[in-house]
Amino acid sequence: MSDSAAETTVFEHVGNDGLYAVSGSDGYPEEYRLLELTPEIAAQLDAGDTTLVVRGRDTDTAVLIDANEQAHAMHTAHTSNSMYLLTQDSGQLVLRTKLHQVFDLQPTRPQIRARVLEVLQWDTRGAFRGTEFEHDGSVTNDDSVTNDDSVTDGVRVTDTAFDQHVQAGRTHVRRVLDDVLAFRHNASGHWRVLDAGYASDVLRVILATHVERDWPLDALHVDTVYSALHAESHILREVVDAVLRRFATEQMGVFAMDTRRVCVFLAEQIFASAGSRAWPVPEFLRALRATMPPQLSLHEDMSEWGSRSISTSVVGKLAVATCAPADEHLLHSPNGVPASLTLLLPLDNNTLPQDVRARMRELFAAKSKWTAREMRPFLEDLVADDNPSVVAKAVDSWLLKFGRGVRGSNGESVYTSRIN
């Protein structure tokens, strides 16, 4: 399908049973496909909702984004009988096309994060490290400055790029952009991702200023923070906003610093600093405490981070618990491996395959034995529904399909790979 499908797709009602004809105005206006909609989506379309769009590249499975920004993969279903699409012209029936297949819709969860990161990387300037490093003057504190007409050194990323290449609604895309520390420069309209070290520095400046000015950490305002930081540190307002969105929760324009989010971010940086090596829990905790801003404290007893606690801890989606070979008999025992003997093996979801079978192959390659509780954090992004019970059921079914389960001494099933 065309990259411009989000803007050119046309739906025409051709029946009373949720059947619609889909056409594209990208050079083939007479080429139709039939699409069977769910009653809920058909009602949205009948109500004249213009937010119903189809998105994807030529190489993607087309995805329909409904008015509630839910994603539905469009799969081809062949019919046993031919279907004729007719229209009336001057009282005469005119055959438009003969069809042998219908698109049906299946809920899906497109890999938004991976595609957003790919698009952001098209900007040849790299991660944003502060205005002092912007030699072309394209990003400054002066909102009147724009370089839309003077870009000569590579691609600049705008909202249109995400519309064309990411199979999701803008609300979901924005959520991912916040999570990956991206910001949109107001004057140019260009998106950039913040350098992790720079974002950490800005966070620490905000926290230090909070102490100086006695700001409540649960009631921070972007404009107040920006005004305090702007004069001396030349930090962009958009950067302040991006850092608060990543490390705080927002309600009605007021931000409350979220210590757990900060901790997860710092843990990511610690794991990234040492490649894929396993970290003894005591060593990791020392590194985490050393980098944690003194103004924040995590309300979690990290001293009890034994192997059974890791999957629900702040590193539950960043690492899996393992241990030395001599202690493996304890790993799936009732009490697990104590914190002093537990190792944290980093696993980056962003680098794992998006196919279930391929991902589970890599997970079993990283660690030969898993419980459903341990594997769930590394598979839940592949499930089309956020409901915990739906996620648990999907993960259980994949483990039964791709793994061999044996009841462990703690009562949980322990799975090894059956993937060839």
Side-chain angles (χ1 to χ4, degrees), residues 227-243:
S227 297
L229 272 55
H230 171 68
E232 296 182 4
S233 52
H234 305 292
I235 296 173
L236 291 173
R237 185 191 185 283
E238 296 95 316
V239 170
V240 173
D241 182 71
V243 169

Side-chain angles (χ1 to χ4, degrees), residues 1-7 53-57 60 63 65 69 110-123 125 155-185 188-194:
M1 62 176 291
S2 169
D3 282 348
S4 58
E7 299 176 5
V53 294
V54 178
R55 287 190 172 148
R57 297 173 176 171
D60 291 331
V63 167
I65 308 298
E69 296 203 4
Q111 301 311 306
I112 306 173
R113 185 185 180 95
R115 190 64 64 84
V116 166
L117 288 171
E118 177 192 335
V119 172
L120 286 169
Q121 289 170 0
W122 293 345
D123 192 311
R125 294 169 294 182
V155 174
R156 298 293 183 261
V157 177
T158 64
D159 288 329
T160 302
F162 297 117
D163 289 342
Q164 293 179 344
H165 296 278
V166 183
Q167 295 178 297
R170 285 195 172 183
T171 301
H172 288 93
V173 171
R174 180 56 194 260
R175 196 173 298 151
V176 173
L177 287 166
D178 290 344
D179 190 55
V180 300
L181 280 165
F183 74 98
R184 180 180 180 275
H185 188 234
S188 66
H190 299 151
W191 283 92
R192 294 281 298 278
V193 65
L194 292 178

